[in-house]
Amino acid sequence: MTKKVLITGKDSYIGTSFIKYCKENNYDLIIDEVDTRNDKWKQADFSQYDVVFHVAGIAHANAKKSQSDLYYKVNTDLTIEIANHAKKNGVKQFIFMSSIIIYSSSKLINGEITKDTIPYSKDPYGDSKIKAENGIIPLSDENFKVVILRPPMIYGPNSKGNFPKLVRLAKLTPIFPKFENKRSILFIDNLNELINIIIQKNCEGTFFPQNSEYIKTIDIVDSISKIYGRKIFYTSFFNPIIENLKNFSLFSKIFGSLYYSKVMSQYKINYQIICYEESIKRTEKK
């Protein structure tokens, strides 16, 4: 039976990518979008939908502690309000786009997140996501399945955030630090495949999607530079400086380690359909 999906967060990168992916693969879904930047979403007839996929929120790239009230209003309060509204109107499944950033201040060993790691974030983006999760998980029951997605950095064609910044850097810099780190990342189509499976199987619970391969920052820079025919000199000269500065936000985002234990991201369903090298080619359309 064809399922109807309502994406709350019109024109979002993840939402529009999912719609495009489903159309290209002829998946049996009817998908609509609704804007949440005002109260017009309350006028939408939620009762006609099987699934609400909630992607609306304020991105971490714009996080400022001076605007923390706005983050909690949008990322926390709005999420809980929409989830309650969906349940009241008979929606069967609610999918919430959280983030790996909820572990940004957690106690980690060498950057590894395990099933026992307790989410903790000092910044308003991460903490507002944690509070949103805590507000909607209790709504889950036999008739209303709640799904939490905690992806790492998402990338793909026309993506936003930190990945395009690395692309620009790879196109410009003649030199880059040969620094060892480990990151979980997620290609958009691997995420899209997982979302489709979650909807079709009416799943519930928390998911930790990532590519099948861990990656180093230098790997991304090197892959991009090769695609554009650039030669970059890699050196360990700057490593002692980076080691001393990597606890600072900018350096942590570039050179820090943050990754899920692989067992957390392996399910009976196969969603890791695109390997890293192929994903880079598709991202840069080469």
Side-chain angles (χ1 to χ4, degrees):
M1 185 180 72
T2 301
K3 290 191 175 184
K4 295 193 69 176
V5 180
L6 178 64
I7 296 177
T8 48
K10 189 175 175 61
D11 298 327
S12 68
Y13 176 69
I14 292 173
T16 54
S17 296
F18 181 63
I19 292 171
K20 181 174 181 289
Y21 182 80
C22 290
K23 287 180 179 178
E24 289 175 347
N25 289 278
N26 296 313
Y27 286 154
D28 194 17
L29 296 173
I30 296 173
I31 308 174
D32 296 322
E33 296 178 282
V34 65
D35 196 343
T36 57
R37 285 171 288 193
N38 48 51
D39 286 337
K40 288 185 178 180
W41 65 267
K42 296 179 180 179
Q43 300 171 17
D45 181 11
F46 275 51
S47 65
Q48 66 178 302
Y49 296 101
D50 301 289
V51 182
V52 167
F53 180 25
H54 183 61
V55 299
I58 299 179
H60 180 262
N62 301 317
K64 295 179 182 178
K65 288 189 176 181
S66 62
Q67 294 180 306
S68 61
D69 289 347
L70 181 61
Y71 283 85
Y72 291 107
K73 179 180 179 180
V74 175
N75 292 347
T76 305
D77 298 344
L78 180 63
T79 299
I80 296 171
E81 185 179 7
I82 290 177
N84 275 286
H85 186 75
K87 183 173 184 176
K88 182 180 178 181
N89 283 272
V91 174
K92 298 178 180 65
Q93 187 183 46
F94 186 85
I95 303 173
F96 173 56
M97 184 59 62
S98 187
S99 171
I100 197 173
I101 200 67
I102 67 170
Y103 298 103
S104 61
S105 304
S106 297
K107 293 182 179 180
L108 306 178
I109 298 177
N110 298 322
E112 182 182 25
I113 299 166
T114 72
K115 62 181 180 60
D116 298 319
T117 304
I118 298 173
Y120 178 49
S121 180
K122 294 179 181 179
D123 70 61
Y125 174 50
D127 190 53
S128 64
K129 289 288 188 180
I130 292 172
K131 286 181 168 55
E133 289 189 17
N134 292 338
I136 64 175
I137 288 174
L139 299 176
S140 188
D141 57 31
E142 290 184 1
N143 300 313
F144 187 71
K145 305 292 182 66
V146 173
V147 176
I148 307 293
L149 298 173
R150 295 175 178 172
M153 180 181 73
I154 298 169
Y155 67 100
N158 304 310
S159 59
K160 301 177 182 179
N162 291 327
F163 187 83
K165 294 178 182 177
L166 285 174
V167 172
R168 289 194 294 270
L169 182 62
K171 290 179 179 179
L172 294 173
T173 184
I175 188 170
F176 193 81
K178 191 177 182 180
F179 190 84
E180 293 291 323
N181 67 337
K182 186 184 290 188
R183 307 289 298 201
S184 291
I185 59 175
L186 180 62
F187 182 54
I188 185 65
D189 281 353
N190 288 339
L191 173 62
N192 288 332
E193 182 64 17
L194 177 62
I195 295 167
N196 173 63
I197 295 171
I198 285 172
I199 291 173
Q200 299 296 353
K201 292 184 176 294
N202 195 31
C203 299
E204 64 180 328
T206 303
F207 291 78
F208 309 86
Q210 62 178 332
N211 288 352
S212 58
E213 313 99 322
Y214 293 134
I215 210 73
K216 294 178 287 189
T217 303
I218 191 175
D219 293 333
I220 299 176
V221 173
D222 190 55
S223 297
I224 297 298
S225 66
K226 287 178 179 176
I227 284 177
Y228 289 96
R230 297 194 72 252
K231 290 185 178 180
I232 297 178
F233 176 67
Y234 300 105
T235 175
S236 301
F237 178 80
F238 302 103
N239 287 8
I241 300 173
I242 294 172
E243 191 65 45
N244 289 326
L245 295 176
K246 71 177 185 179
N247 289 330
F248 290 90
S249 178
L250 177 62
F251 285 86
S252 176
K253 289 177 182 178
I254 300 175
F255 298 109
S257 291
L258 187 65
Y259 62 99
Y260 287 124
S261 170
K262 285 195 175 182
V263 70
M264 296 173 68
S265 304
Q266 294 170 343
Y267 313 110
K268 294 180 180 179
I269 52 180
N270 178 33
Y271 67 93
Q272 296 167 327
I273 55 175
I274 308 297
C275 70
Y276 169 71
E277 290 298 334
E278 177 62 23
S279 74
I280 294 296
K281 293 177 183 177
R282 294 190 184 192
T283 297
E284 297 305 303
K285 300 177 181 178
K286 297 290 184 180

